[in-house]
Amino acid sequence: MQLERRDFLSSLTLASAATLFTGTSLLAATTPKKDKLGIALVGLGYYSTDLLAPALQMTEKCYLAGIVTGTPAKAETWKTKYNIPDKNIYNYQNFDKIADNPDIDIVYVVLPPSMHREFVVRAAKAGKHVFCEKPMAPSVADCEAMISACKSNKVKLAIGYRCQHDPNIQAYMKVAKEQKFGKVKMVNSAAGYVDNRTDHWKQKKSLGGGVMGDMGVYALQGARLATGEEPISVIAQASTTRPEIYKEVEETMMFMLDFPSGARAACQTSFGINMNYLQINYEKGWVKLEPQSGYNGNKGSMSDGTVINFPIKSQQAKQMDEDCLAIINNTDLIAPGEEGLRDIRVVEAIYKSVASGKSVKI
């Protein structure tokens, strides 16, 4: 007996629907949407221990679900302190098994920059969304590989630019967008502190060390966010006053950026000088912040008398909540992988300028 055309089309539609909702598609369609996401911290150094873990006790859209560490003693300490089940504790060798753990939605990579690419790619292949600390990676090629891995595995990648979630920083970003005082003419941006450690990743070239791999990104971001533009050229000079500590990498970097609008930025960053400020001079006014990139207490003023002072309980908690909300609602992240890539493009140009002694186009 021949099928009527109507019956045939009906059967075809049902068959197509069945094909669409098989395997992972069916699982995704039937899995309830979470309103709170589980985060696994990869690397339990100072930043995870003293800042991220405490912040995760304040968050509303995420919680500390697991850890990844190469130190068994740390695993035991965290297990007890945060009541983390054994099945959510991993090391660097069995990390990939995290793919089978529904408790963990996000992997937060908090490792030396040289390790970021490996663990972001592994997390993406495991089907987990990724938060990655800054700087994103030591090279543009690494950043592009990380972005590509997350896109191909359909997961989001956020860079840990906590400052971009801070309303004090957002205040001067808004001035640039609205041109409240006209065009930007000159930016002075500085970020540095005295680091006397001798055996940390920040002093080791192979691990992504050097001041541009840490505080330098804050000085650079100050200029980029203040202008709302991407620099088109840079000239830079590196120096070291303590070669016994900074024998492989620079201790201090000074760099001048040129922007398409004609704005210029003089930036300084150091592991040997305490400084943290931003001054933006416009055609018709100014904005000043000091500090400009602290963990808290960022504040400033504008030439029209506006005060910039929005206290927040925790930058890190706000950052993670807002990034998790973007994942839950499938909306744009404040600082996606592309934002980290923009900085590293400039950082690579800065090192090329130091090597050549000349201005370098970006």
Side-chain angles (χ1 to χ4, degrees), residues 125-307:
K125 286 181 178 179
K128 305 300 180 181
H129 299 289
V130 189
F131 296 168
C132 179
E133 259 313 300
K134 65 89 196 149
M136 185 173 174
S139 72
V140 166
D142 286 339
C143 295
E144 289 174 340
M146 292 156 71
I147 292 169
S148 177
C150 290
K151 283 185 176 178
S152 61
N153 288 282
K154 296 180 173 54
V155 296
K156 287 187 180 287
L157 170 61
I159 308 303
Y161 286 131
R162 55 184 173 79
C163 287
Q164 292 199 29
H165 296 262
D166 187 325
N168 298 284
I169 279 66
Q170 291 172 348
Y172 76 76
M173 291 173 66
K174 184 179 179 183
V175 173
K177 186 176 181 180
E178 297 178 351
Q179 294 198 339
K180 180 177 180 178
F181 301 120
K183 292 183 179 180
V184 176
K185 303 297 287 183
M186 174 62 81
V187 178
N188 284 277
S189 181
Y193 70 98
V194 177
D195 194 332
N196 294 317
R197 289 174 293 189
T198 59
D199 193 31
H200 192 265
W201 70 260
K202 294 176 185 179
Q203 288 93 41
K204 298 179 181 180
K205 188 173 183 178
S206 64
L207 296 180
V211 74
M212 282 310 303
D214 185 47
M215 297 306 291
V217 174
Y218 293 117
L220 171 57
Q221 285 250 320
R224 287 183 53 244
L225 302 181
T227 59
E229 297 182 289
E230 298 306 318
I232 54 175
S233 68
V234 62
I235 186 164
Q237 183 179 47
S239 62
T240 301
T241 60
R242 295 176 292 169
E244 70 279 7
I245 298 177
Y246 295 94
K247 42 182 165 292
E248 296 182 10
V249 296
E250 79 284 353
E251 176 187 31
T252 298
M253 186 76 78
M254 300 177 70
F255 53 100
M256 179 78 75
L257 300 168
D258 289 301
F259 292 88
S261 65
R264 305 195 81 189
C267 303
Q268 305 169 70
T269 184
S270 180
F271 283 144
I273 305 167
N274 288 315
M275 53 183 173
N276 200 307
Y277 60 83
L278 177 71
Q279 177 159 339
I280 313 161
N281 289 93
Y282 308 85
E283 293 174 304
K284 303 171 185 176
W286 51 260
V287 170
K288 298 177 183 179
L289 275 87
E290 189 170 2
Q292 68 147 321
S293 60
Y295 289 143
N296 53 57
N298 295 319
K299 59 184 179 180
S301 59
M302 302 184 191
S303 54
D304 64 354
T306 300
V307 173

Side-chain angles (χ1 to χ4, degrees), residues 286-342:
W286 51 260
V287 170
K288 298 177 183 179
L289 275 87
E290 189 170 2
Q292 68 147 321
S293 60
Y295 289 143
N296 53 57
N298 295 319
K299 59 184 179 180
S301 59
M302 302 184 191
S303 54
D304 64 354
T306 300
V307 173
I308 302 173
N309 188 8
F310 302 98
I312 56 174
K313 194 171 183 180
S314 167
Q315 281 180 339
Q316 288 81 7
K318 191 170 186 290
Q319 166 203 327
M320 290 187 285
D321 266 342
E322 290 179 349
D323 286 341
C324 284
L325 199 59
I327 290 171
I328 291 167
N329 294 330
N330 194 26
T331 55
D332 291 340
L333 294 157
I334 284 179
E338 289 78 6
E339 175 69 355
L341 172 60
R342 291 180 195 111

Side-chain angles (χ1 to χ4, degrees), residues 1-14:
M1 182 183 293
Q2 288 187 326
L3 284 172
E4 293 288 340
R5 182 174 181 274
R6 182 176 58 189
D7 295 332
F8 173 76
L9 290 174
S10 177
S11 300
L12 183 63
T13 302
L14 288 170

Side-chain angles (χ1 to χ4, degrees), residues 20-61:
L20 285 171
F21 291 101
T22 55
T24 56
S25 297
L26 182 60
L27 181 64
T30 57
T31 301
K33 184 178 178 181
K34 292 185 177 182
D35 58 7
K36 198 167 187 178
L37 305 179
I39 292 180
L41 296 176
V42 184
L44 305 182
Y46 160 76
Y47 196 71
S48 286
T49 302
D50 289 14
L51 292 157
L52 293 178
L56 281 163
Q57 311 313 304
M58 308 177 202
T59 47
E60 297 177 359
K61 296 298 178 182

